[in-house]
Amino acid sequence: MRLGYPTSIKIIRVPCTGKVDALHIMRSFEKGADGVYLVGCREGDCHFERGNFRAKARVEQIRKILDAVGIGGHRLQMYNLSSSDGPMFARFAEEMHARILEAGPNPIRGAVIKQKKVQTDQNQIAGAAL
Amino acid sequence: MIVADKKPIEEIIDYVKDYQSILVLGCNECVTVCEVGGKKEVGLLASALRMHFLQQGGEVNIGERTLERQCDHEYLEEIRDNIDHYEAVVSIACGVGVQFTAEKYQTKPVYPGVNTLFMGANEARGVWSERCQGCGQCILAISGGICPVSRCAKRILNGPCGGSTAGKCEISKDIPCGWQLIIDRLKALGRMDDYEKINPIKNWSTERAGGPRKVIREDLKL
């Protein structure tokens, strides 16, 4: 099919969306991700029976937290598709990409980059001292 | 186990908004089992607080620690060496843990991160319900193992009352009548004769009505 989808998206493969923990999602945003979306099997089609329902519940939980801390729950989304549905996969990617473009960068991105820079500088100073 | 529920994150943020370094302290016991105060929840709350403060432009140090128990001196001692690195503690243990931490570290503000609810059982995944109110004088032997103090809204000892309808309590159609449960259980046990016995007035002084309670076991004291 060789369908294209936005290059801004980094795919992390997991055996099932049920494997995605609430902490994985939170840490992604904490590290500066502008958006996160989970693509699971269609509801009722989970090989592990309820993995995608577990993921859906976690997404709902984290969306509330993201809203509460000012990051915005709309940056997190759960999608479902059939594993052979490439066009749908590309459509979801386009949809999420457009949503994040509209939302703008993660509000803490600047602070995270600054923190990383300070840490790198400190490591370099420590390395030079050794 | 002691059952607790999440506190709104906005409420926790409001408690700690003026501090520059905060320790989020979890507990590996009951609150881990009911998924509000264990290691994972410590991580989630710490992550949420970090994001909030970063967004506010503040550089707040958020530490994470989960103790085996917060209701024992031995485990609380484990944080003695580094608690001074933090200005405040958010404890997501039950109310006992929050208080014991506060008692142990007198000069450190300790804030609750969960709402402690009751002693209950895990009925199903994600469902907990009350089973014991710690009345101090257990009467389960006479009620077929179902507690009229915790399962009956009126805590009556000779029930059911007139509010019991089709096995449900008058306060909610979703709450089973405790005394209906007791009768069903006594029937199943073939002990309906016990139901005919009038239970005497209970001594409520062993319950919370008698003031804060304490157990002293001379055989265990050092």
Side-chain angles (χ1 to χ4, degrees), chain A residues 21 26 30 61 68-70, chain B residues 6 9 40 47-48 50 55:
Chain A
D21 196 276
M26 287 293 280
E30 199 186 325
Q61 176 203 358
V69 299
Chain B
K6 289 174 186 165
I9 194 142
K40 184 180 286 185
S47 180
R50 274 186 212 112
Q55 210 212 348

Side-chain angles (χ1 to χ4, degrees), chain A residues 7-92:
Chain A
T7 52
S8 58
I9 289 161
K10 178 180 169 63
I11 295 177
I12 298 170
R13 297 203 303 179
V14 288
C16 171
T17 46
K19 172 69 185 166
V20 182
D21 196 276
L23 260 178
H24 296 146
I25 303 172
M26 287 293 280
R27 296 279 193 238
S28 306
F29 284 105
E30 199 186 325
K31 287 181 173 179
D34 298 321
V36 173
Y37 70 102
L38 275 59
V39 188
C41 298
R42 288 190 307 189
E43 291 185 358
D45 281 355
C46 178
H47 179 71
F48 305 102
E49 295 189 0
R50 287 182 298 179
N52 47 8
F53 286 109
R54 287 174 196 271
K56 186 181 175 185
R58 285 172 195 149
V59 163
E60 289 306 313
Q61 176 203 358
I62 300 301
R63 286 185 87 153
K64 285 180 194 157
I65 298 176
L66 292 174
D67 275 332
V69 299
I71 301 294
H74 58 286
R75 294 178 182 276
L76 175 62
Q77 182 68 39
M78 172 93 198
Y79 290 111
N80 299 89
L81 49 64
S82 163
S83 57
S84 59
D85 200 345
M88 190 71 96
F89 181 88
R91 209 193 82 197
F92 288 153

Side-chain angles (χ1 to χ4, degrees), chain B residues 2 23-32 36-39 42 64-79 83 89-105 110-114:
Chain B
I2 294 173
L23 175 64
V24 180
L25 192 62
C27 177
N28 266 340
E29 294 287 344
C30 313
V31 286
T32 294
V36 286
K39 193 174 179 182
V42 165
E64 301 178 26
R65 187 75 192 261
T66 306
L67 301 178
E68 198 55 38
R69 280 198 290 279
Q70 282 189 38
C71 52
D72 266 323
H73 286 294
E74 291 87 339
Y75 298 113
L76 271 175
E77 278 299 325
E78 290 174 9
I79 55 169
I83 196 162
V89 177
V90 174
S91 165
I92 54 173
C94 68
V96 180
V98 177
Q99 290 184 65
F100 216 45
T101 307
E103 281 174 37
K104 202 158 190 64
Y105 300 105
V110 183
Y111 297 98
V114 298

